[in-house]
């Protein structure tokens, strides 16, 4: 499997729709896919395959998630570096440098879309356009946030590996994320990624993704985006409600907003035809 070292961690990556490694002389545009919290590039594969007629699609696992594991002797250094989302934007910039990619388009989901927002503003010269899926702006609620941290801590701490062997576990695990059914293989993969995510990374990114600081900083970050951007929301998304996406899109004329009806937090898997229609119209 292909790996490249980025900021002391070996990052897993793969190409969809092109040879591996990608021909450096290729003139095809590149679309980079960024996954969300405790996930991996695996759930982007079907979307990337559908877009591979126009793009060389680069999928990668963020530090501490999926196959980009953090070795025991790296834990202290990673903890010292912290789990702020802009550090993941720095990782992406280094990944593109390592792979000799001077400019790309972005397709990012959930927490990965927050990373992408930072990336668009910190490295605008590296981006042509962006698609942000299931992301937005939320308001600070001290009691709700503290309850979320407590519950999130329990969820991250209690992840027995045997859970993956229970036949209905993937279905129940994904129930909160979905409005429509998705292939069982996708549910299994997501549960496996969640169970294997690095503990410190999974917990640390909970605190940085949903925080008072994020509620203060993200509106300005959305307003600063300078490249054409499409924000796609799922109508019944319980993780990032669609209204939060609409609020973010209204801050910047560069951001188009699209609502995929009767879907939850994974519209690209729940209704791929409608999702790809919006994406195709935007890219055209």
């Amino acid at each position: 499997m292909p790996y490249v070292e980025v900021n002391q961690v070996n990052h897993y990556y793969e190409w969809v729709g092109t040879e591996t490694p990608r021909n450096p002389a290729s003139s095809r545009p590149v679309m980079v896919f960024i996954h969300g919290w405790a996930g991996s590039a695996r759930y982007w594969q079907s979307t990337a395959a559908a877009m591979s007629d126009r793009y060389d699609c680069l999928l990668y696992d963020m530090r501490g998630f999926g196959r980009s594991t953090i070795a025991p002797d790296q834990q202290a250094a990673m903890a010292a570096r912290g789990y702020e989302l802009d550090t993941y934007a720095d990782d992406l910039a280094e990944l593109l440098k390592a792979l000799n990619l001077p400019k790309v388009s972005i397709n990012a989901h959930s927490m990965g879309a927050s990373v992408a927002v930072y990336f668009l503003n910190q490295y605008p010269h590296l981006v042509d356009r962006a698609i942000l899926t299931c992301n937005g702006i939320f308001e600070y609620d001290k009691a709700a946030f503290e309850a979320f941290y407590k519950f999130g801590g329990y969820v991250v701490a209690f992840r027995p590996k045997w859970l993956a062997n229970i036949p209905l576990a993937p279905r129940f695990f994904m129930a909160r994320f979905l409005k429509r059914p998705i292939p069982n293989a996708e549910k299994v993969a997501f549960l496996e990624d969640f169970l294997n995510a690095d503990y410190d990374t999974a917990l640390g990114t909970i605190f940085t993704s949903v925080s008072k600081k994020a509620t203060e900083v993200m509106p300005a970050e959305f307003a600063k985006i300078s490249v054409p951007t499409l924000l796609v929301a799922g109508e019944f998304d319980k993780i990032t409600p669609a209204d939060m996406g609409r609020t973010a899109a209204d801050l910047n004329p560069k951001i188009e907003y699209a609502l995929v009806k009767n879907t939850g937090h994974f519209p690209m898997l729940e209704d791929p035809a409608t999702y790809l229609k919006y994406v195709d119209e935007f890219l055209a």
Side-chain angles (χ1 to χ4, degrees), residues 163-240:
L163 198 60
N165 298 323
I166 298 177
L168 293 179
R171 176 181 173 183
F172 289 121
F173 177 76
M174 291 298 292
R176 178 170 173 76
F177 297 96
L178 304 173
K179 177 64 176 176
R180 297 191 195 182
I182 64 173
N184 189 61
E186 300 283 5
K187 299 176 187 176
V188 171
F190 198 94
L191 177 58
E192 290 175 348
D193 288 333
F194 167 72
L195 294 176
N196 292 323
D198 176 71
Y199 174 82
D200 290 337
T201 303
L203 190 61
T205 49
I206 281 179
F207 285 94
T208 57
S209 298
V210 182
S211 66
K212 185 173 186 293
K213 176 184 175 182
T215 64
E216 296 168 347
V217 171
M218 290 307 291
E221 293 294 329
F222 274 103
K224 285 193 299 184
I225 291 175
S226 59
V227 301
T229 299
L230 173 67
L231 198 157
V232 184
E235 183 182 17
F236 296 106
D237 187 349
K238 296 179 181 178
I239 309 303
T240 310

Side-chain angles (χ1 to χ4, degrees), residues 41-273:
R42 291 199 288 178
Y43 70 72
W44 271 126
Q45 288 177 331
S46 59
T47 307
M51 299 180 66
S52 63
D53 59 331
R54 289 156 293 167
Y55 287 90
D56 287 345
C57 297
L58 174 63
L59 284 63
Y60 78 104
D61 292 347
M62 289 191 287
R63 162 175 42 102
F65 296 120
R67 293 144 290 189
S68 297
T69 56
I70 297 175
D73 61 352
Q74 297 172 323
Q75 291 288 354
M78 292 302 101
R81 188 174 178 220
Y83 304 100
E84 294 291 340
L85 299 188
D86 56 349
T87 66
Y88 285 88
D90 293 337
D91 287 347
L92 176 55
E94 288 299 312
L95 175 69
L96 299 184
K97 181 178 179 181
L99 297 179
N100 193 29
L101 299 172
K103 198 157 200 171
V104 299
S105 296
I106 298 287
N107 195 347
H109 174 247
S110 195
M111 186 195 90
S114 295
V115 172
V117 170
Y118 282 108
F119 183 80
L120 298 181
N121 291 328
Q122 293 174 197
Y123 304 96
H125 59 290
L126 299 180
V127 192
D128 176 60
R129 63 188 67 197
I131 302 158
L132 308 175
T133 302
C134 296
N135 196 262
I137 291 171
F138 48 90
E139 296 181 357
Y140 180 65
D141 182 323
K142 186 174 185 292
F145 278 32
E146 289 178 351
F148 174 78
Y149 298 149
K150 186 175 183 179
F151 176 73
Y154 290 144
V155 168
V156 173
F158 183 73
R159 291 179 298 155
K161 296 292 193 271
W162 51 258
L163 198 60
N165 298 323
I166 298 177
L168 293 179
R171 176 181 173 183
F172 289 121
F173 177 76
M174 291 298 292
R176 178 170 173 76
F177 297 96
L178 304 173
K179 177 64 176 176
R180 297 191 195 182
I182 64 173
N184 189 61
E186 300 283 5
K187 299 176 187 176
V188 171
F190 198 94
L191 177 58
E192 290 175 348
D193 288 333
F194 167 72
L195 294 176
N196 292 323
D198 176 71
Y199 174 82
D200 290 337
T201 303
L203 190 61
T205 49
I206 281 179
F207 285 94
T208 57
S209 298
V210 182
S211 66
K212 185 173 186 293
K213 176 184 175 182
T215 64
E216 296 168 347
V217 171
M218 290 307 291
E221 293 294 329
F222 274 103
K224 285 193 299 184
I225 291 175
S226 59
V227 301
T229 299
L230 173 67
L231 198 157
V232 184
E235 183 182 17
F236 296 106
D237 187 349
K238 296 179 181 178
I239 309 303
T240 310
D243 287 348
M244 295 182 179
R246 171 72 75 179
T247 299
D250 287 345
L251 293 172
N252 190 328
K254 288 282 187 181
I255 304 176
E256 299 178 27
Y257 178 80
L259 181 70
V260 183
K261 295 198 172 183
N262 199 33
T263 63
H265 196 57
F266 288 85
M268 65 285 208
L269 299 178
E270 298 172 70
D271 186 357

Side-chain angles (χ1 to χ4, degrees), residues 267-282:
M268 65 285 208
L269 299 178
E270 298 172 70
D271 186 357
T274 302
Y275 180 84
L276 289 167
K277 179 178 76 72
Y278 284 132
V279 167
D280 290 344
E281 291 171 354
F282 169 70

